[in-house]
Amino acid sequence: MKRLGFSDRTMIILIYVFLIALSFSCFYPFWNALVVSFNLGIDTSKGGVTFWPRAFSLENYEIVFKDERLINGFFVTVGRTVVGTLSSILMTAILAYGMTKRELIGRNFYMFFFVFTMYFGGGLIPTYLLISSLGLMNKFLVFIIPALISVWNMIIFRTFFKSLPVGLEESAQMDGATNWGILFRIVLPLSGPVIATLSLFTAVAHWNDWFVPSIYISNEKLIPIQTMLQQILNANIVTEMSSNLDTASAARIESLRTVTTKSLRMATMMVATIPIVLVYPFVQKYFVKGVLIGSLKE
């Protein structure tokens, strides 16, 4: 094995140092938010809380988990993410499979039409009027129907489907399989990496979206936790949230005074962030294979 020279070893060390520093700069804000969420709010306001809680406390999470609006918003977010991801991936995959068929009349026109929508849109007001005319205001389906088709995901699906051996479909057709049978029994089972990767992208988009509910939802029972988090970031609602707890004893009232807006924000942010972060390790191994095969092969 060839030994590395001094310049090569120096370069490798510098690269490692740079990557470690970059990783730390990306990870530290999240870690600091986690630390603050577990620290006594009034102590955090003094400053100096960095890598570890100085005055460990669970009061911030106690307020979050006893606030019915946040718990309801969490389940709305979970339901939206699960239903929205499954329906979007299914409908997008069906569309992409149809776009691979050369015998499809007007295929090039459809493709141009889809790509055109990636660059030009009607804007917020026409979209609002459309959603209103469809009767989707204050409805759970407003999270699902407008996001059923992703053109970018469709292009990745289409490119991956075209890279599959043609003989698979031809042999299945000779055995009497229909297009639906080929799609669900052959094509999709072979598309695991792409499906896993695009499912994560779609799930993250649904989970993190706060803007759509803020425009189309006024019913508190349908507001997801991300929109509530945005409201917390823009307003001081510590007193309102704290009122949901039992304040019968003087000691309990005194303990509520230790909660601050910042500590409550951090706790809510952790509740809204950690669940989707925990999904990533399970699909990480599909990232390179799924995205590269689906986007580079043509």
Short mmCIF file of all heavy atoms in Angstrom, two decimals, residues 244-277:
data_model
loop_
_atom_site.label_atom_id
_atom_site.label_comp_id
_atom_site.label_asym_id
_atom_site.label_seq_id
_atom_site.Cartn_x
_atom_site.Cartn_y
_atom_site.Cartn_z
N ASN A 244 -53.82 26.25 31.43
CA ASN A 244 -54.41 24.92 31.27
C ASN A 244 -53.97 23.97 32.38
O ASN A 244 -54.52 22.88 32.51
CB ASN A 244 -54.02 24.32 29.92
CG ASN A 244 -54.61 25.10 28.77
OD1 ASN A 244 -55.70 25.63 28.88
ND2 ASN A 244 -53.88 25.18 27.67
N LEU A 245 -52.97 24.35 33.16
CA LEU A 245 -52.49 23.50 34.23
C LEU A 245 -53.24 23.77 35.53
O LEU A 245 -53.88 24.80 35.71
CB LEU A 245 -50.99 23.73 34.45
CG LEU A 245 -50.09 23.37 33.26
CD1 LEU A 245 -48.66 23.72 33.62
CD2 LEU A 245 -50.21 21.92 32.90
N ASP A 246 -53.16 22.85 36.43
CA ASP A 246 -53.78 23.01 37.74
C ASP A 246 -52.95 23.99 38.57
O ASP A 246 -51.80 23.72 38.90
CB ASP A 246 -53.85 21.65 38.44
CG ASP A 246 -54.47 21.77 39.83
OD1 ASP A 246 -55.14 22.79 40.10
OD2 ASP A 246 -54.29 20.83 40.61
N THR A 247 -53.52 25.11 38.92
CA THR A 247 -52.81 26.13 39.69
C THR A 247 -53.45 26.33 41.06
O THR A 247 -53.53 27.43 41.57
CB THR A 247 -52.80 27.46 38.92
OG1 THR A 247 -54.15 27.85 38.66
CG2 THR A 247 -52.04 27.32 37.62
N ALA A 248 -53.92 25.24 41.63
CA ALA A 248 -54.64 25.36 42.89
C ALA A 248 -53.74 25.72 44.05
O ALA A 248 -54.13 26.47 44.94
CB ALA A 248 -55.35 24.03 43.20
N SER A 249 -52.52 25.22 44.04
CA SER A 249 -51.63 25.47 45.17
C SER A 249 -50.72 26.66 44.89
O SER A 249 -50.39 26.95 43.75
CB SER A 249 -50.77 24.24 45.47
OG SER A 249 -49.93 23.95 44.38
N ALA A 250 -50.31 27.31 45.97
CA ALA A 250 -49.42 28.46 45.81
C ALA A 250 -48.08 28.04 45.25
O ALA A 250 -47.46 28.75 44.47
CB ALA A 250 -49.23 29.14 47.18
N ALA A 251 -47.62 26.84 45.62
CA ALA A 251 -46.34 26.34 45.11
C ALA A 251 -46.41 26.13 43.60
O ALA A 251 -45.44 26.39 42.87
CB ALA A 251 -45.96 25.04 45.80
N ARG A 252 -47.56 25.65 43.14
CA ARG A 252 -47.71 25.41 41.70
C ARG A 252 -47.71 26.73 40.95
O ARG A 252 -47.13 26.84 39.87
CB ARG A 252 -49.03 24.66 41.44
CG ARG A 252 -49.11 24.12 40.04
CD ARG A 252 -48.10 23.01 39.89
NE ARG A 252 -48.03 22.63 38.48
CZ ARG A 252 -46.92 22.55 37.81
NH1 ARG A 252 -45.79 22.88 38.38
NH2 ARG A 252 -46.91 22.15 36.57
N ILE A 253 -48.37 27.73 41.50
CA ILE A 253 -48.39 29.04 40.86
C ILE A 253 -46.98 29.60 40.78
O ILE A 253 -46.57 30.18 39.78
CB ILE A 253 -49.32 29.99 41.64
CG1 ILE A 253 -50.76 29.49 41.57
CG2 ILE A 253 -49.24 31.40 41.08
CD1 ILE A 253 -51.73 30.31 42.39
N GLU A 254 -46.21 29.40 41.86
CA GLU A 254 -44.85 29.91 41.87
C GLU A 254 -43.99 29.21 40.82
O GLU A 254 -43.15 29.84 40.18
CB GLU A 254 -44.24 29.69 43.27
CG GLU A 254 -42.85 30.28 43.44
CD GLU A 254 -42.86 31.80 43.35
OE1 GLU A 254 -43.91 32.41 43.63
OE2 GLU A 254 -41.81 32.36 42.97
N SER A 255 -44.20 27.90 40.62
CA SER A 255 -43.38 27.16 39.66
C SER A 255 -43.67 27.60 38.23
O SER A 255 -42.78 27.57 37.38
CB SER A 255 -43.63 25.66 39.79
OG SER A 255 -44.95 25.33 39.38
N LEU A 256 -44.90 28.02 37.97
CA LEU A 256 -45.25 28.46 36.62
C LEU A 256 -44.53 29.74 36.24
O LEU A 256 -44.37 30.05 35.06
CB LEU A 256 -46.77 28.67 36.51
CG LEU A 256 -47.61 27.39 36.55
CD1 LEU A 256 -49.09 27.75 36.50
CD2 LEU A 256 -47.26 26.46 35.43
N ARG A 257 -44.08 30.49 37.25
CA ARG A 257 -43.38 31.74 36.97
C ARG A 257 -41.98 31.50 36.41
O ARG A 257 -41.32 32.41 35.95
CB ARG A 257 -43.29 32.57 38.24
CG ARG A 257 -44.66 33.03 38.75
CD ARG A 257 -44.53 33.77 40.06
NE ARG A 257 -45.83 34.16 40.59
CZ ARG A 257 -46.03 34.70 41.79
NH1 ARG A 257 -44.99 34.90 42.59
NH2 ARG A 257 -47.24 35.01 42.19
N THR A 258 -41.52 30.27 36.51
CA THR A 258 -40.19 29.95 35.99
C THR A 258 -40.20 29.70 34.50
O THR A 258 -39.14 29.58 33.89
CB THR A 258 -39.63 28.71 36.71
OG1 THR A 258 -40.46 27.58 36.39
CG2 THR A 258 -39.60 28.93 38.21
N VAL A 259 -41.37 29.58 33.89
CA VAL A 259 -41.47 29.32 32.45
C VAL A 259 -41.39 30.64 31.70
O VAL A 259 -42.05 31.61 32.07
CB VAL A 259 -42.80 28.59 32.12
CG1 VAL A 259 -42.93 28.40 30.62
CG2 VAL A 259 -42.85 27.25 32.84
N THR A 260 -40.59 30.65 30.66
CA THR A 260 -40.46 31.85 29.83
C THR A 260 -40.87 31.52 28.40
O THR A 260 -41.02 30.36 28.02
CB THR A 260 -39.01 32.37 29.83
OG1 THR A 260 -38.15 31.37 29.26
CG2 THR A 260 -38.56 32.70 31.23
N THR A 261 -41.04 32.57 27.62
CA THR A 261 -41.42 32.39 26.23
C THR A 261 -40.39 31.57 25.47
O THR A 261 -40.73 30.68 24.70
CB THR A 261 -41.60 33.76 25.54
OG1 THR A 261 -42.55 34.53 26.27
CG2 THR A 261 -42.07 33.58 24.11
N LYS A 262 -39.13 31.87 25.70
CA LYS A 262 -38.06 31.17 24.97
C LYS A 262 -38.04 29.68 25.31
O LYS A 262 -37.94 28.83 24.41
CB LYS A 262 -36.71 31.80 25.30
CG LYS A 262 -35.56 31.14 24.56
CD LYS A 262 -34.24 31.83 24.87
CE LYS A 262 -33.09 31.17 24.10
NZ LYS A 262 -31.79 31.83 24.38
N SER A 263 -38.12 29.35 26.60
CA SER A 263 -38.07 27.93 26.98
C SER A 263 -39.27 27.17 26.43
O SER A 263 -39.15 26.02 26.01
CB SER A 263 -38.02 27.80 28.50
OG SER A 263 -39.20 28.34 29.11
N LEU A 264 -40.44 27.82 26.42
CA LEU A 264 -41.63 27.18 25.87
C LEU A 264 -41.51 26.99 24.37
O LEU A 264 -41.93 25.98 23.81
CB LEU A 264 -42.86 28.01 26.21
CG LEU A 264 -44.22 27.39 25.82
CD1 LEU A 264 -44.41 26.06 26.52
CD2 LEU A 264 -45.35 28.34 26.15
N ARG A 265 -40.93 27.97 23.70
CA ARG A 265 -40.71 27.84 22.26
C ARG A 265 -39.81 26.66 21.94
O ARG A 265 -40.07 25.88 21.02
CB ARG A 265 -40.07 29.12 21.72
CG ARG A 265 -41.00 30.32 21.64
CD ARG A 265 -40.20 31.56 21.25
NE ARG A 265 -41.05 32.72 21.12
CZ ARG A 265 -40.59 33.95 20.93
NH1 ARG A 265 -39.28 34.16 20.86
NH2 ARG A 265 -41.43 34.98 20.82
N MET A 266 -38.73 26.53 22.69
CA MET A 266 -37.78 25.44 22.44
C MET A 266 -38.43 24.08 22.67
O MET A 266 -38.21 23.14 21.91
CB MET A 266 -36.54 25.60 23.32
CG MET A 266 -35.72 26.85 23.07
SD MET A 266 -35.10 27.00 21.37
CE MET A 266 -36.23 28.24 20.71
N ALA A 267 -39.22 23.96 23.73
CA ALA A 267 -39.88 22.68 24.02
C ALA A 267 -40.87 22.32 22.92
O ALA A 267 -40.93 21.17 22.47
CB ALA A 267 -40.59 22.76 25.38
N THR A 268 -41.64 23.31 22.48
CA THR A 268 -42.59 23.06 21.39
C THR A 268 -41.87 22.70 20.11
O THR A 268 -42.30 21.81 19.36
CB THR A 268 -43.47 24.31 21.16
OG1 THR A 268 -44.06 24.71 22.38
CG2 THR A 268 -44.57 24.01 20.15
N MET A 269 -40.76 23.36 19.85
CA MET A 269 -39.99 23.07 18.64
C MET A 269 -39.45 21.65 18.66
O MET A 269 -39.44 20.96 17.64
CB MET A 269 -38.84 24.06 18.49
CG MET A 269 -38.08 23.92 17.19
SD MET A 269 -36.87 25.24 16.95
CE MET A 269 -35.69 24.85 18.25
N MET A 270 -39.01 21.17 19.83
CA MET A 270 -38.51 19.80 19.92
C MET A 270 -39.62 18.79 19.69
O MET A 270 -39.43 17.80 18.99
CB MET A 270 -37.89 19.57 21.32
CG MET A 270 -36.59 20.29 21.56
SD MET A 270 -35.27 19.78 20.41
CE MET A 270 -35.25 21.21 19.30
N VAL A 271 -40.79 19.05 20.25
CA VAL A 271 -41.92 18.15 20.05
C VAL A 271 -42.31 18.11 18.58
O VAL A 271 -42.71 17.06 18.04
CB VAL A 271 -43.12 18.59 20.91
CG1 VAL A 271 -44.36 17.77 20.58
CG2 VAL A 271 -42.78 18.46 22.39
N ALA A 272 -42.16 19.24 17.89
CA ALA A 272 -42.55 19.31 16.48
C ALA A 272 -41.46 18.81 15.54
O ALA A 272 -41.75 18.53 14.37
CB ALA A 272 -42.90 20.76 16.12
N THR A 273 -40.24 18.67 16.03
CA THR A 273 -39.11 18.34 15.14
C THR A 273 -38.61 16.91 15.30
O THR A 273 -38.35 16.23 14.30
CB THR A 273 -37.94 19.31 15.40
OG1 THR A 273 -38.39 20.65 15.22
CG2 THR A 273 -36.79 19.03 14.44
N ILE A 274 -38.48 16.44 16.53
CA ILE A 274 -37.84 15.16 16.78
C ILE A 274 -38.53 13.98 16.08
O ILE A 274 -37.85 13.12 15.51
CB ILE A 274 -37.73 14.90 18.29
CG1 ILE A 274 -36.69 15.85 18.89
CG2 ILE A 274 -37.35 13.46 18.59
CD1 ILE A 274 -36.49 15.71 20.38
N PRO A 275 -39.88 13.89 16.05
CA PRO A 275 -40.50 12.72 15.39
C PRO A 275 -40.08 12.55 13.94
O PRO A 275 -39.79 11.43 13.51
CB PRO A 275 -42.01 13.03 15.52
CG PRO A 275 -42.11 13.87 16.74
CD PRO A 275 -40.90 14.72 16.74
N ILE A 276 -40.03 13.63 13.17
CA ILE A 276 -39.67 13.49 11.76
C ILE A 276 -38.17 13.25 11.61
O ILE A 276 -37.72 12.59 10.67
CB ILE A 276 -40.10 14.74 10.96
CG1 ILE A 276 -40.12 14.43 9.46
CG2 ILE A 276 -39.24 15.92 11.27
CD1 ILE A 276 -41.14 13.43 9.04
N VAL A 277 -37.37 13.76 12.55
CA VAL A 277 -35.92 13.50 12.51
C VAL A 277 -35.63 12.03 12.73
O VAL A 277 -34.72 11.45 12.11
CB VAL A 277 -35.19 14.37 13.56
CG1 VAL A 277 -33.73 13.96 13.67
CG2 VAL A 277 -35.29 15.84 13.19
#
